[in-house]
Amino acid sequence: HKDRGLPQNVATGDVLLGLPSSGIHSNGFSLVRKLIEKANLDYESACPWDKSAGTVGDSLLIPTKIYVKCCLPLLQKQMLTGLAHITGGGLLENLPRSLPSSVKAEITGHPPLPNVFSWMKQTSGLDDHEMLRTFNCGIGMVLIVKKDAVDEAKALLRETGESVVYELGTLVDRQGSEEQVE
């Protein structure tokens, strides 16, 4: 239905819900390869950020999570005003594509970095801003919902098997040329 395409009616007060990624997905691999080399590792090396993962290669090649199953019920109930798949460019470049220029995302509840991203941050020396501009940093999908629909949205997500849903923040008025994600 073309008339139900997203984003639609995204506004101040909407809430940002984050769904966890399954790993680095397929983004930032050029940098990841350089970091592995810098750390004198290869894909057969024991994984330094997750001892249970086996090798570096096993950890990095965890399949990309697909979000259709969990998002479809919310789309069908017209509960979403927007969606942002956090791919190359991270949260800072992907979320603004779903936002009108009059609002910005105020991120107040980003979860701690998963171990693989903590290792990459430490090894690379990237600051938080660059990490969020390069990698998904543990958030693979952002759902934009009206404040009064948050509880129902979380319940539907749990019914589809999403045991973890982060309240990342809210949309607020944007002044002039402020960044769209803070």
Side-chain angles (χ1 to χ4, degrees):
H1 298 275
K2 287 185 179 182
D3 61 326
R4 294 192 339 205
L6 297 178
Q8 197 170 88
N9 302 315
V10 174
T12 298
D14 288 357
V15 176
L16 304 169
L17 300 179
L19 300 179
S21 66
S22 56
I24 66 167
H25 292 177
S26 57
N27 306 113
F29 263 97
S30 295
L31 178 57
V32 171
R33 282 192 298 273
K34 289 177 185 173
L35 295 177
I36 290 168
E37 186 177 303
K38 178 182 176 182
N40 293 315
L41 299 171
D42 62 39
Y43 297 107
E44 298 301 319
S45 299
C47 184
W49 57 84
D50 183 357
K51 304 299 182 209
S52 68
T55 68
V56 167
D58 291 336
S59 177
L60 293 177
L61 294 177
I62 292 171
T64 299
K65 183 174 178 178
I66 306 298
Y67 297 93
V68 172
K69 180 182 170 194
C70 63
C71 291
L72 198 54
L74 284 81
L75 287 165
Q76 290 168 334
K77 289 191 171 225
Q78 298 182 30
M79 297 178 69
L80 302 176
T81 60
L83 280 171
H85 192 202
I86 310 306
T87 59
L91 191 66
L92 300 183
E93 291 184 11
N94 288 282
L95 184 53
R97 295 180 186 140
S98 294
L99 303 178
S101 61
S102 61
V103 300
K104 68 179 181 181
E106 193 170 74
I107 306 297
T108 55
H110 197 288
L113 288 177
N115 291 343
V116 63
F117 296 106
S118 293
W119 181 85
M120 288 192 297
K121 181 180 179 183
Q122 180 181 8
T123 305
S124 69
L126 292 176
D127 62 23
D128 291 343
H129 185 269
E130 283 303 306
M131 287 293 294
L132 288 169
R133 196 175 67 78
T134 307
F135 300 107
N136 69 54
C137 293
I139 299 295
M141 181 69 77
V142 176
L143 295 78
I144 306 171
V145 300
K146 295 294 180 197
K147 186 175 185 170
D148 62 0
V150 169
D151 290 339
E152 185 180 357
K154 287 180 175 180
L156 282 171
L157 289 165
R158 280 191 293 276
E159 286 176 21
T160 65
E162 290 295 326
S163 59
V164 176
V165 179
Y166 300 105
E167 271 198 50
L168 297 175
T170 57
L171 298 182
V172 298
D173 287 326
R174 181 179 181 216
Q175 305 301 315
S177 62
E178 286 181 312
E179 295 292 328
Q180 274 199 288
V181 180
E182 289 187 352

